[in-house]
Amino acid sequence: MPHLPKHPRLSFEKLFQVPTEAQELVDVQVPTSEEEEETATISSYEESSSQEEEESSSMLQSSTDAESLLKDPLEENVTDLVHFLILKYRLKDPITKAEMLEVVTQSYKNEFPVIFNKASKCLELIFGIDVKEMNPTGHSYVLVNSLDLTYNEVLSDNQSMPKNGLLITILGIIFIEGNCASEESIWEFLNTIGVYDGKEHFIYGYPRKLLTVDWVQENYLEYQQVPHSNPPHYEFLWGPRAHAETSKIKVLEFLSKVKGFDPTTLSGWYEVALRNEEERARARIDTMDRGAAVFIAQHW
């Protein structure tokens, strides 16, 4: 499999950085490990009287900011709508605008277009769920997996969440890193969005198990030791199911959509993805031609 030239690490961190609005919806509900570590660090210095006043002020400000965010009525409506849409997704039910308006508080019904757009963006980026309009006249919608991935985990309880958003992003990182991403680069990215090795995440569960066991068993990822590495290092590649269900150009287009820029601006990666798509098309045509030749030979 051809490898792309590796770009500076900063490039994909900027490319995949979660938009502030979507990240806030996540951060408000559960603090990240990084925040907990920061709090622990601050606590360890409380013995120093010279820093006590400054730390107390800082902690008070952080608490006030979080409380202010939690009490933002618009964001509360967005969060409530996201939870409602996820429930409808689990039930595989279509949804109407009238049903969504019932979730929104009376004083914010005029703000529904803004609330709906924010909720849709969060669903797409964080959970990998597309909100598609079925009937413009009747304002009915259906919720589907982004990029038509068939991965449909068994949601055993109400705490389980769809994870296709992260899967698509990981596939994008692997592609941008040259079709093969080191384990270190994957965790470096995950840390920037508050996902840590050994720390349970309220959406993704235990991320190491998700990446190296669940998605490997589902054939979306390959996780292998780098040849001749000592001590051993590991890397991630696309699995056969990822190649079968999506393409590099589709992943780029998805990431471009959620980031709001034209995929052609990623000239090098876009060109490689386009060539890959053409090769896939030629391979399908060759397979069909061989099948037709066999059919003719058998019947003549």
Side-chain angles (χ1 to χ4, degrees):
M1 182 181 295
H3 280 53
L4 284 169
K6 291 195 176 183
H7 289 242
R9 183 61 38 78
L10 186 60
S11 63
F12 77 72
E13 286 183 356
K14 284 185 176 179
L15 175 64
F16 292 110
Q17 188 62 47
V18 176
T20 304
E21 293 176 356
Q23 188 62 53
E24 282 174 351
L25 291 175
V26 176
D27 291 344
V28 161
Q29 300 173 64
V30 176
T32 64
S33 300
E34 190 174 4
E35 290 169 341
E36 292 171 352
E37 290 170 3
E38 182 179 352
T39 302
T41 303
I42 292 175
S43 300
S44 69
Y45 284 95
E46 283 182 352
E47 296 177 359
S48 173
S49 57
S50 62
Q51 296 180 354
E52 212 168 272
E53 184 177 350
E54 181 182 348
E55 288 166 359
S56 298
S57 175
S58 175
M59 292 171 69
L60 178 61
Q61 183 62 45
S62 298
S63 175
T64 303
D65 291 343
E67 187 177 347
S68 173
L69 184 58
L70 277 169
K71 290 183 177 179
D72 183 338
L74 181 66
E75 296 303 328
E76 284 182 350
N77 277 280
V78 174
T79 302
D80 290 343
L81 184 56
V82 166
H83 290 168
F84 179 66
L85 290 173
I86 288 175
L87 175 62
K88 299 294 282 187
Y89 171 77
R90 286 181 179 142
L91 297 174
K92 302 186 186 304
D93 287 343
I95 188 170
T96 64
K97 180 180 178 180
E99 288 178 301
M100 289 187 280
L101 279 169
E102 292 178 3
V103 180
V104 178
T105 56
Q106 183 64 39
S107 57
Y108 275 82
K109 291 195 185 295
N110 290 337
E111 300 291 331
F112 177 75
V114 175
I115 294 169
F116 177 70
N117 287 336
K118 283 175 172 279
S120 299
K121 188 86 168 181
C122 180
L123 281 171
E124 187 175 33
L125 179 59
I126 304 296
F127 302 106
I129 298 173
D130 279 340
V131 182
K132 294 188 175 181
E133 194 170 29
M134 293 175 57
N135 183 356
T137 324
H139 298 291
S140 60
Y141 303 84
V142 63
L143 305 172
V144 298
N145 286 337
S146 298
L147 302 189
D148 298 322
L149 294 174
T150 62
Y151 176 58
N152 189 18
E153 60 196 322
V154 177
L155 301 176
S156 57
D157 55 64
N158 291 334
Q159 300 304 316
S160 299
M161 295 284 191
K163 303 175 179 67
N164 279 344
L166 183 63
L167 174 56
I168 295 169
T169 304
I170 295 296
L171 293 175
I173 292 174
I174 293 171
F175 168 48
I176 285 175
E177 281 284 278
N179 295 322
C180 179
S182 68
E183 183 173 24
E184 291 80 5
S185 68
I186 293 293
W187 285 111
E188 185 177 335
F189 160 74
L190 290 174
N191 290 349
T192 67
I193 61 170
V195 179
Y196 299 90
D197 190 7
K199 180 72 175 180
E200 186 175 12
H201 191 274
F202 86 105
I203 295 176
Y204 307 125
Y206 287 98
R208 174 167 291 278
K209 178 179 180 295
L210 181 64
L211 267 68
T212 65
V213 178
D214 297 345
W215 284 341
V216 170
Q217 290 178 348
E218 293 288 340
N219 292 316
Y220 281 111
L221 296 178
E222 291 183 2
Y223 178 67
Q224 61 187 29
Q225 183 176 340
V226 177
H228 313 299
S229 60
N230 188 19
H233 290 273
Y234 293 85
E235 59 190 4
F236 289 92
L237 297 87
W238 282 33
R241 191 169 171 186
H243 285 289
E245 292 185 2
T246 189
S247 66
K248 294 168 183 175
I249 199 164
K250 286 183 179 179
V251 169
L252 272 188
E253 288 172 348
F254 169 83
L255 296 172
S256 300
K257 180 181 177 183
V258 298
K259 288 298 293 179
F261 52 71
D262 188 333
T264 57
T265 59
L266 306 172
S267 56
W269 295 314
Y270 187 79
E271 289 171 8
V272 171
L274 194 58
R275 286 199 302 270
N276 180 257
E277 192 74 4
E278 291 170 351
E279 290 170 1
R280 285 160 58 102
R282 283 198 297 269
R284 287 193 293 268
I285 292 172
D286 290 344
T287 301
M288 292 172 61
D289 288 345
R290 286 195 297 271
V294 170
F295 176 83
I296 291 172
Q298 289 175 341
H299 290 77
W300 288 87

